[in-house]
Amino acid sequence: MEDTVSQHQPQKRVVVCGGGIIGVCTAYFLSKKGAAVTLIERSSIACAASGKAGGFLALHMCDDGPLSSLARTSFDLHRSLAEELNGAQSYGYRPLTAVTVSIDESEQMSNNSNILPPWVDGGVKPGEIIGTTETTAQIHPQLFTRALLAKAVAEYDVKVVIGKVKSVAVEGDGVMVNVDSSGVIGGDAVVLALGPWTSKLSEVLDKFRVYGKKVHSIVLEPKDAEAITAHALFGTYYPVQGADPIDPEVYPRPTGEVYICGPSVEAEIPDGPELVYPDPESTQVLKKVAGIVSSHLKEANARVTTEQACYMPCTDDELPIIGEVPGMNKCYVASGHGCWGILFGPATGAAMAELVLDGHASTVDLNCFTPTRFATDKYDI
Ligand SMILES: Cc1cc2nc3c(=O)[nH]c(=O)nc-3n(C[C@H](O)[C@H](O)[C@H](O)COP(=O)(O)OP(=O)(O)OC[C@H]3O[C@@H](n4cnc5c(N)ncnc54)[C@H](O)[C@@H]3O)c2cc1C
């Protein structure tokens, strides 16, 4: 990817709406390529799914489908960004092993498995290794998003505005973004990266659908943090006999914390991220899972520091929506990244920067992600 636009072209002014990982990565790559970027976030940077996700990255888990090149390109970009930003120190970037397990409290197993680490000493049956330190890694998603934005602000002069985007209009050759805190902000192009709130913007409401799935998570601080090694667990657990299983995911972090998230459920999203609250019954199940998986994560041995919920941005065909909005010249969307938005952030941002500034993306082929796939005849596409 070329880093800068030609010196002879006038600098493009681009407004990026949304300060989650997708908006921040887009702002970073746009500004690195020479655009004058204003990022608008209604609450705080990475306050929603981008701050509350697991942060798991996989090279190969989207292979055999249209997401493969987005995933592989982004995995590599994460690795190079971690070198550039000293990610191991600043946002917990590290390769790790990923293992499937079935979690069952009636199965008090003695861990003599050669695929599970010693700290997984509870009611757990090992499945298989699904990722190695070559193919899987992790970051702390909120620290990553904030570190990348800090670099974009310091080195490429990105401006950050805290305010709610109320409307977006295309006027002549430019765009007008109306923000509650600061009035109208003009630009040559606008990128909508509002996660599950994208479809709340009435201008795009009937062009495609991004909806939310609510997911709960907890963070634990075990007393004996050094015993917990870099192994991610992808579990299956039956909370009640005869009921549907849930698929908890357990991610130890290099800080010594252990993050656990639960199942996703489609739900109406509240007006803003500050109005998202966890349901105590859902986080209770995750605490129970923690205690079954490991003696180090039982209530007596680990403090629960965080109980939270957030909304995953989802689409009807389970592919992200990345491209120019039908019928709205110079208005772009990057949203609906589902359960892989932390992985896909850098490649989405790099490809979106190329699309906006060069007219086409070469980092990743965006054709199958275009919003025109949902368009009806009434739009001029
Ligand atoms: C529990 C959980 C675990 C996950 N784990 C992983 C994982 O391990 N690996 C992985 O790759 N992915 C993971 N994901 C998926 C990933 O978190 C999301 O796909 C990704 O964070 C979406 O980023 P985003 O920037 O599109 O949306 P968001 O993070 O939701 O950001 C959107 C931003 O827009 C702002 N906004 C909304 N409306 C307005 C407005 N009108 N004006 C201004 N700003 C506005 C919001 O405040 C918010 O900050 C997980 C998701 C969940 C829910």
Side-chain angles (χ1 to χ4, degrees):
M1 183 179 105
E2 274 178 42
D3 266 3
T4 50
V5 286
S6 153
Q7 298 288 317
H8 307 296
Q9 288 171 22
Q11 191 181 33
K12 272 201 180 155
R13 294 166 307 142
V14 185
V15 183
V16 176
C17 303
I21 194 166
I22 302 299
V24 166
C25 287
T26 302
Y28 174 80
F29 284 102
L30 276 166
S31 61
K32 195 176 176 191
K33 253 175 102 55
V37 176
T38 304
L39 177 97
I40 304 167
E41 162 57 44
R42 70 171 278 164
S43 191
S44 61
I45 299 302
C47 60
S50 300
K52 295 175 178 170
F56 180 70
L57 313 174
L59 176 72
H60 60 303
M61 290 188 183
C62 301
D63 281 352
D64 305 326
L67 293 167
S68 174
S69 89
L70 188 64
R72 285 182 167 266
T73 306
S74 222
F75 188 83
D76 289 343
L77 274 173
H78 265 296
R79 190 163 25 208
S80 48
L81 283 170
E83 280 167 23
E84 236 178 90
L85 279 82
N86 191 15
Q89 292 301 319
S90 60
Y91 54 81
Y93 175 88
R94 71 174 174 184
L96 84 175
T97 302
V99 178
T100 61
V101 292
S102 67
I103 301 165
D104 182 346
E105 55 208 307
S106 64
E107 286 262 350
Q108 275 313 315
M109 83 154 200
S110 64
N111 182 358
N112 54 7
S113 139
N114 57 3
I115 71 165
L116 290 179
W119 62 270
V120 183
D121 57 3
V124 173
K125 266 203 245 167
E128 55 178 334
I129 294 177
I130 54 169
T132 66
T133 50
E134 294 300 307
T135 57
T136 47
Q138 71 180 144
I139 57 171
H140 187 304
Q142 187 172 66
L143 297 181
F144 167 79
T145 306
R146 293 182 176 177
L148 193 67
L149 182 62
K151 185 173 161 91
V153 168
E155 292 184 20
Y156 308 120
D157 205 22
V158 167
K159 304 275 182 280
V160 179
V161 172
I162 297 298
K164 179 181 175 183
V165 173
K166 285 165 47 184
S167 64
V168 171
V170 178
E171 285 191 15
D173 283 346
V175 295
M176 300 290 195
V177 180
N178 192 354
V179 184
D180 65 355
S181 61
S182 23
V184 173
I185 298 178
D188 300 306
V190 59
V191 180
L192 306 176
L194 300 170
W197 290 276
T198 307
S199 288
K200 294 265 179 197
L201 216 54
S202 61
E203 293 84 348
V204 298
L205 184 61
D206 61 347
K207 306 198 176 197
F208 45 77
R209 184 171 88 109
V210 182
Y211 65 95
K213 284 189 182 175
K214 188 171 184 182
V215 190
H216 286 79
S217 54
I218 59 171
V219 180
L220 300 153
E221 217 172 66
K223 285 181 189 157
D224 189 7
E226 281 176 14
I228 316 282
T229 51
H231 287 76
L233 308 179
F234 288 76
T236 307
Y237 171 62
Y238 292 84
V240 182
Q241 219 174 9
D244 288 341
I246 63 166
D247 297 327
E249 296 171 14
V250 181
Y251 302 109
R253 288 178 168 157
T255 49
E257 294 175 324
V258 178
Y259 168 102
I260 304 179
C261 63
S264 60
V265 181
E266 186 171 342
E268 184 54 39
I269 45 166
D271 186 47
E274 60 286 349
L275 300 171
V276 178
Y277 302 106
D279 312 320
E281 313 85 70
S282 301
T283 52
Q284 192 54 41
V285 174
L286 299 178
K287 290 185 230 173
K288 189 166 179 202
V289 165
I292 299 171
V293 165
S294 169
S295 61
H296 299 272
L297 304 180
K298 282 188 187 302
E299 207 180 334
N301 297 328
R303 193 167 68 92
V304 178
T305 58
T306 310
E307 299 187 35
Q308 62 193 4
C310 60
Y311 287 79
M312 208 179 259
C314 300
T315 63
D316 291 330
D317 61 4
E318 296 180 7
L319 295 178
I321 304 174
I322 311 172
E324 197 171 35
V325 176
M328 293 182 77
N329 210 13
K330 303 298 172 207
C331 176
Y332 300 83
V333 59
S335 185
H337 289 69
C339 64
W340 284 115
I342 304 302
L343 171 64
F344 295 156
T348 300
M352 185 49 90
E354 293 166 344
L355 182 64
V356 173
L357 300 179
D358 306 336
H360 61 94
S362 49
T363 292
V364 176
D365 181 357
L366 294 178
N367 275 330
C368 51
F369 309 128
T370 173
T372 59
R373 69 190 190 269
F374 302 109
T376 57
D377 290 339
K378 65 183 169 166
Y379 303 118
D380 179 20
I381 54 177

